[in-house]
Amino acid sequence: MIDGERLAELRKVAAEFVNVDKIVEIRELNGGHINSTYLITMPEALYILQRINNFVFPSPFGVMHNITQVTEFIRKKVIYEGKDPNRAVLNVVKSRYDQDIVIRNDNYWRCLQYIDGATAYQNVDTPEMFAEIGRAIGEFQCMLAGFHTRVLDETIIHFHDTPYRYRHFLDDIKIDRVERVEECKKEIRAIRDRVSIMNWIMLRIDDKSIPRRVAHNDTKPSNVLIDDKTGKAICLIDLDTVMRGSLLFDFGDAIRIGACTADEDEVDLSKVHVRLDFFEAFTRAFLKEVKNLIVPEEVRGLYKSCQIIALEIAMRFLNDYINGDEYFKIARPKHNLDRARCQLQFVKELEKNEQAINKIIRNILDELDFGPEYTLEGE
Ligand code: GN1
Ligand code: MG
């Protein structure tokens, strides 16, 4: 339940986007770690009202610039392909002054059309569902292939630049602001032990053997909407981190959640394993979609991207714990530490399965007739 004072404030914000007298209900939606999200029910439609976390996103206007540029580009393609532009892409709702953002008491708010009859699943139940998610993420890459990535603002600098994040992590360990470093020794060591893999993607982006593309940058499966009737993925949501990046960020980030047997914050680490059948279903659907786009060096990095992105998020969670939990929302005192431990465990499980994973990728490449230039490491 939203208390009276907060509800009154929410209604004032909502009034900037919709006819406040007709609001049937305002409800809070939980799920994301960053923004605060509310569902507004109107007689004719539903809307998402979100307060953009401007500690995380120092330039909310940059965020909205990126979202509107990308969604307008996708919308044209969707219309051309005869799909429903109200469902196949996010629609930003403008304020009554035709603006993307409303500012009230130094808070930044935006509104989106809610897509009805579709679900953002927190857990991926079947390989088939994960395949759909893989297809949608691949399709997103393809749709944006002709988009000028330089149009996009870097709304969070060096977002998936793992070595950059590592340098900051080391600085924060030295500062040890809330004296938690001692408690995290084991986890810090596990991250330090893997420093040599961290720059695999960034080095190749720098030498241009991996192209810079538009990346969603937050492809957890719950950011893909699935149609309730058909079970097909409709579109990607949560476009806050859409920026220049690599296709590998989007691949690896989806795997760390969808191909894991446990939740992101599971405390019983014996429950954390790799679901190879899920990995396979996702990878096949993804590669099928991006076949004409993906370059050999990206294919070579598929396994590495899973390892790097899981390691990066483990480091980010641990870093936030060490800094006193100022970035990610937490539901219990050691939540970020639990998340970090779980993600590190997933990295270890991936490493145990490296050969099996590469074998799966190899089989898919053969099955989909990828040319001889598509080799994996060690081949
Ligand atoms: C955050 O807010 P949410 O849940 O979509 C984070 C992602 C992390 C994710 C971990 C802007 O995403 O990078 O992968 O948590 N977003 C930002 O679950 O930092
Ligand atoms: Mg997000």
Side-chain angles (χ1 to χ4, degrees), residues 32-34 57 159 218 220 238 256 264 313 316 327-328:
H33 296 345
I34 309 287
F57 296 105
F159 192 61
D218 185 9
K220 46 172 129 179
D238 184 4
R256 76 173 179 88
E264 188 184 48
I313 193 71
R316 291 177 60 200
Y327 187 100
F328 296 103

Side-chain angles (χ1 to χ4, degrees), residues 166-282:
Y166 181 65
R167 290 195 292 277
H168 277 259
F169 176 64
L170 294 182
D171 289 345
D172 289 342
I173 288 173
K174 276 194 210 125
I175 298 167
D176 194 10
R177 193 176 341 136
V178 289
E179 294 176 6
R180 290 181 176 174
V181 164
E182 186 59 36
E183 185 188 359
C184 307
K185 278 261 153 65
K186 231 175 89 193
E187 291 72 25
I188 294 170
R189 170 108 320 263
I191 291 170
R192 278 179 181 274
D193 284 348
R194 290 169 174 80
V195 64
S196 65
I197 63 158
M198 286 180 192
N199 62 3
W200 198 96
I201 302 174
M202 292 314 293
L203 275 181
R204 284 161 179 79
I205 291 179
D206 288 342
D207 75 14
K208 296 196 166 53
S209 55
I210 287 186
R212 277 188 198 277
R213 303 182 187 279
V214 180
H216 178 283
N217 286 312
D218 185 9
T219 46
K220 46 172 129 179
S222 58
N223 281 338
V224 179
L225 270 192
I226 309 272
D227 191 292
D228 291 340
K229 281 208 193 97
T230 63
K232 299 277 170 213
I234 305 180
C235 64
L236 269 59
I237 56 172
D238 184 4
L239 301 178
D240 287 340
T241 47
V242 120
M243 278 179 275
R244 281 211 300 179
S246 162
L247 161 155
L248 290 176
F249 301 156
D250 287 357
F251 181 84
D253 208 7
I255 293 296
R256 76 173 179 88
I257 300 276
C260 181
T261 44
D263 289 345
E264 188 184 48
D265 57 356
E266 175 61 60
V267 283
D268 180 353
L269 298 183
S270 70
K271 288 190 183 158
V272 180
H273 300 286
V274 184
R275 305 196 282 197
L276 289 175
D277 49 344
F278 283 67
F279 176 87
E280 180 176 351
F282 179 94

Side-chain angles (χ1 to χ4, degrees), residues 3-15:
D3 65 45
E5 204 178 315
R6 203 150 59 102
L7 190 61
E9 176 65 9
L10 281 168
R11 288 178 65 87
K12 284 191 183 136
V13 177

Side-chain angles (χ1 to χ4, degrees), residues 51-323:
R51 182 161 58 78
I52 304 176
N53 179 332
N54 63 315
F55 172 73
V56 169
F57 296 105
S59 166
F61 289 100
V63 171
M64 292 315 288
H65 164 78
N66 289 357
I67 295 180
T68 50
Q69 291 293 316
V70 163
T71 53
E72 275 165 29
F73 189 85
I74 296 179
R75 187 168 306 107
K76 284 181 194 136
K77 292 206 169 183
V78 158
I79 292 170
Y80 181 77
E81 287 168 8
K83 292 191 205 151
D84 180 355
N86 287 316
R87 286 176 73 75
V89 63
L90 276 189
N91 283 278
V92 174
V93 177
K94 301 261 189 192
S95 76
R96 57 186 168 139
Y97 299 117
D98 203 31
Q99 288 171 321
D100 297 326
I101 286 185
V102 161
I103 305 173
R104 259 191 72 83
N105 302 326
D106 290 333
N107 288 321
Y108 294 77
W109 295 87
R110 56 120 183 268
C111 185
L112 303 163
Q113 272 177 33
Y114 178 84
I115 301 178
D116 221 352
T119 305
Y121 290 92
Q122 292 301 323
N123 297 306
V124 186
D125 298 328
T126 61
E128 291 73 32
M129 185 194 273
F130 202 28
E132 258 311 297
I133 290 168
R135 189 190 57 72
I137 294 173
E139 187 181 36
F140 183 83
Q141 282 290 335
C142 292
M143 278 195 291
L144 290 165
F147 186 92
H148 293 303
T149 58
R150 288 167 199 238
V151 168
L152 299 177
D153 286 357
E154 194 176 6
T155 49
I156 300 182
I157 52 163
H158 299 283
F159 192 61
H160 279 305
D161 182 342
T162 319
Y164 171 89
R165 288 197 179 267
Y166 181 65
R167 290 195 292 277
H168 277 259
F169 176 64
L170 294 182
D171 289 345
D172 289 342
I173 288 173
K174 276 194 210 125
I175 298 167
D176 194 10
R177 193 176 341 136
V178 289
E179 294 176 6
R180 290 181 176 174
V181 164
E182 186 59 36
E183 185 188 359
C184 307
K185 278 261 153 65
K186 231 175 89 193
E187 291 72 25
I188 294 170
R189 170 108 320 263
I191 291 170
R192 278 179 181 274
D193 284 348
R194 290 169 174 80
V195 64
S196 65
I197 63 158
M198 286 180 192
N199 62 3
W200 198 96
I201 302 174
M202 292 314 293
L203 275 181
R204 284 161 179 79
I205 291 179
D206 288 342
D207 75 14
K208 296 196 166 53
S209 55
I210 287 186
R212 277 188 198 277
R213 303 182 187 279
V214 180
H216 178 283
N217 286 312
D218 185 9
T219 46
K220 46 172 129 179
S222 58
N223 281 338
V224 179
L225 270 192
I226 309 272
D227 191 292
D228 291 340
K229 281 208 193 97
T230 63
K232 299 277 170 213
I234 305 180
C235 64
L236 269 59
I237 56 172
D238 184 4
L239 301 178
D240 287 340
T241 47
V242 120
M243 278 179 275
R244 281 211 300 179
S246 162
L247 161 155
L248 290 176
F249 301 156
D250 287 357
F251 181 84
D253 208 7
I255 293 296
R256 76 173 179 88
I257 300 276
C260 181
T261 44
D263 289 345
E264 188 184 48
D265 57 356
E266 175 61 60
V267 283
D268 180 353
L269 298 183
S270 70
K271 288 190 183 158
V272 180
H273 300 286
V274 184
R275 305 196 282 197
L276 289 175
D277 49 344
F278 283 67
F279 176 87
E280 180 176 351
F282 179 94
T283 305
R284 179 177 292 110
F286 178 81
L287 285 179
K288 209 167 163 184
E289 205 58 38
V290 300
K291 188 179 170 197
N292 294 324
L293 184 79
I294 195 165
V295 302
E297 205 58 13
E298 287 170 322
V299 165
R300 210 163 291 132
L302 289 174
Y303 164 76
K304 278 265 167 25
S305 76
C306 305
Q307 195 188 10
I308 292 170
I309 297 296
L311 180 64
E312 179 189 277
I313 193 71
M315 179 166 74
R316 291 177 60 200
F317 286 143
L318 192 63
N319 201 155
D320 197 31
Y321 182 70
I322 287 170
N323 285 356

Side-chain angles (χ1 to χ4, degrees), residues 346-363:
F346 187 66
V347 172
K348 291 177 193 159
E349 292 293 317
L350 280 170
E351 289 165 354
K352 275 192 221 158
N353 284 283
E354 178 173 0
Q355 274 195 345
I357 288 173
N358 276 327
K359 204 161 156 220
I360 291 171
I361 301 173
R362 168 43 57 212
N363 288 340

